[in-house]
Amino acid sequence: MNYSSTRGGDECLVSAGAIIAGIANNGGLFVPKQIPTLNQSAIEALSALNYQERAYAILKEFLTDYSEDDLNFCISQAYCSDKFDDESIAPLQSLDDHNHVLELWHGPTSAFKDMALQLLPQLMSKALKMTGETAQIVILVATSGDTGKAALEGFKNVDQIKIVVFYPNDGVSEIQRMQMVSQSGSNVTVVAVKGNFDDAQTGVKNIFNNDSFNQVLNGHGYQLSSANSINWGRLVPQIVYYFSAYADMVQNGAIAAGDKVNFVVPTGNFGNILAGYYAKQMGLPINRLICASNSNNVLTEFLQTGIYNRKREFYRTISPSMDILISSNLERLLYHITNGNSAQVASWMADLQAHGQYDVGNQVLKAIQEVFWAGFAHDEQTSRTIKEIYDTYHYTADPHTAVAWHVSNCYRKQTGDTTPHVILSTASPYKFNCSVLSALTDEKSLMDRNEFVMLEELAELSGIPVPTALAELKNAVIRFTQVCEKTEMEQTVKQLLVK
Ligand SMILES: *Cc1c(COP(=O)(O)O)cnc(C)c1O
């Protein structure tokens, strides 16, 4: 399987090369030349397998340059019982016949980013050996909160790789911040940026695109790479749990093999839901992919009108991991939906860069709408939904999951579709203890309440134990206190590496 850029050109790499590079030379994203398919009996056979075996069955279709042993080694390192607190890795909770919650937060950092970021470092480390690459890889991460910690956990102490994480100074929850600034590992650095997530992401992209700076780094034996979901190695592990959820539903009798399901995905950078699109293209019986946003509803508008317009107010919400106005992975969807029209994709991306918007036109919009549906939730709706889910099912959902739940209900009301829904639950409620507690208790001002008291209170209400890693933050030592201006990010990297 070969990979090329969404923006064309003749760069063509096997997966190991695409994973090391992160982003294509011309600024595009790597996409597989063709999308492999699984027939119905291969999909049915997944029901008898465990998560690790399901992962192998899917990943081997895309990562064809990895040997069977290497791939299985990577999978066993990533999805093991030291790191995940549930042996199903991504357990499915069926709350009733219509609503199935796919819990993607049983990994070491309690957010769904672990599903990909436990595997990516393993794949990258193998890729370095396979390609004989001798440079030190420097992973630059911009995070809206969850990616940073998950990447730090995944890459800490991995040979030949350093990692630098930039997070928006006022844009992450207190638990998220503590998780990052206390990170262990000899190859990690964490820096706060004065700005929002898009500022941090733009800063990182600018560093990637600055050729002369990259040459300076190369001269010192460093090569930059990415752990954001623009990296193919981040995206491909996410395809697995769509198949896994479906296999579980067949196995527990919620559906018959071949029946369709809808997936509802709380969306920011469009990585998670795009993995669902790949699953559908591979033959998984998906009726609709429902894209759920918060007040930063640029994707809702795009999926309804075909116009992507980032020139709008940025809101800080109680689902901060989705506070994003530039959804990078949409570029991959545009590539596939136009049957690989890379010139067209490049021109839309140039419009976005120059004018802050692009318009895909009616025909492309129609093709997208055959697969996707979109809606959004304001914070009050999200809070109310957390309470409703708790009152109805005694299930405690985090704010991102609640955004998806709200949009799931909107979809049913507006379309009358009765296909069963799998709602992707992307974070443990404990990661957003303050928002969840205030939704459940109607107390509005918990802002100055101690984090660890809130964890305990939430444990009492939810009946589920506090994840050990979060409880242990109480005694964690703070290692990183650096704050930089959004214009100083390159300088910060330079000081770290070149001195
Ligand atoms: C990253 C994240 C999302 C958004 O996922 P994308 O792949 O960026 O669309 C949603 N919820 C949580 C909790 C996240 O950490």
Side-chain angles (χ1 to χ4, degrees), residues 111-113 144 146-147 176 229 234 238 265-273 321-322 324 398 400 426-427 432:
F112 100 96
K113 302 295 194 294
S144 57
D146 292 327
T147 302
Q176 288 176 318
S229 55
R234 246 307 278 286
Q238 301 183 343
V265 188
T267 298
N269 224 353
F270 210 75
N272 198 357
I273 198 167
S321 304
M322 295 153 65
I324 289 178
D398 100 291
H400 304 78
T426 49
F432 302 95

Side-chain angles (χ1 to χ4, degrees), residues 147-167:
T147 302
K149 178 61 183 181
L152 289 161
E153 264 314 300
F155 281 103
K156 74 172 174 195
N157 299 330
V158 173
D159 270 357
Q160 214 182 322
I161 302 179
K162 283 187 193 297
I163 171 165
V164 184
V165 169
F166 291 100
Y167 71 92

Side-chain angles (χ1 to χ4, degrees), residues 72-243:
N72 276 322
F73 177 80
C74 291
I75 290 168
S76 67
Q77 293 293 302
Y79 304 120
C80 60
S81 59
D82 311 354
K83 293 179 174 160
F84 283 77
D85 67 12
D86 189 301
E87 69 177 352
S88 351
I89 307 298
L92 189 73
Q93 306 277 358
S94 296
L95 300 189
D96 62 29
D97 289 349
H98 306 287
N99 297 295
H100 307 267
V101 179
L102 178 61
E103 293 182 348
L104 299 173
W105 40 261
H106 288 276
T109 77
S110 304
F112 100 96
K113 302 295 194 294
D114 290 326
M115 299 304 299
L117 280 164
Q118 281 300 311
L119 189 61
L120 173 67
Q122 305 296 332
L123 295 175
M124 197 176 282
S125 184
K126 274 277 181 270
L128 291 171
K129 297 204 173 77
M130 285 155 60
T131 58
E133 175 65 61
T134 55
Q136 277 265 338
I137 302 298
V138 181
I139 306 286
L140 291 187
V141 181
T143 183
S144 57
D146 292 327
T147 302
K149 178 61 183 181
L152 289 161
E153 264 314 300
F155 281 103
K156 74 172 174 195
N157 299 330
V158 173
D159 270 357
Q160 214 182 322
I161 302 179
K162 283 187 193 297
I163 171 165
V164 184
V165 169
F166 291 100
Y167 71 92
N169 203 17
D170 299 315
V172 301
S173 83
E174 184 54 16
I175 289 281
Q176 288 176 318
R177 194 189 65 79
M178 284 196 283
Q179 281 185 303
M180 288 189 278
V181 297
S182 65
Q183 178 64 43
S184 65
S186 56
N187 60 341
V188 305
T189 306
V190 177
V191 182
V193 179
K194 290 185 194 161
N196 61 35
F197 169 70
D198 287 310
D199 295 324
Q201 178 162 257
T202 302
V204 164
K205 278 188 186 163
N206 289 343
I207 297 175
F208 277 119
N209 292 333
N210 182 342
D211 289 338
S212 62
F213 182 57
N214 277 269
Q215 273 164 20
V216 172
L217 293 182
N218 294 158
H220 286 79
Y222 293 114
Q223 183 185 329
L224 297 179
S225 186
S226 165
N228 281 97
S229 55
I230 53 177
N231 191 318
W232 179 250
R234 246 307 278 286
L235 205 69
V236 69
Q238 301 183 343
I239 301 172
V240 175
Y241 49 71
Y242 286 88
F243 281 92

Side-chain angles (χ1 to χ4, degrees), residues 112-113 142-147 168 171 196-199 201 205 228-229 234 266-271 292-300 308-310 312-317 319-329 400:
F112 100 96
K113 302 295 194 294
T143 183
S144 57
D146 292 327
T147 302
N196 61 35
F197 169 70
D198 287 310
D199 295 324
Q201 178 162 257
K205 278 188 186 163
N228 281 97
S229 55
R234 246 307 278 286
T267 298
N269 224 353
F270 210 75
S293 302
N294 60 29
S295 306
N296 296 295
N297 56 1
V298 59
L299 282 169
T300 314
Y308 194 95
N309 182 356
R310 58 173 264 208
R312 60 178 66 225
E313 195 172 339
F314 175 86
Y315 298 101
R316 282 177 51 195
T317 73
S319 47
S321 304
M322 295 153 65
D323 291 349
I324 289 178
L325 294 181
I326 305 169
S327 299
S328 308
N329 268 297
H400 304 78

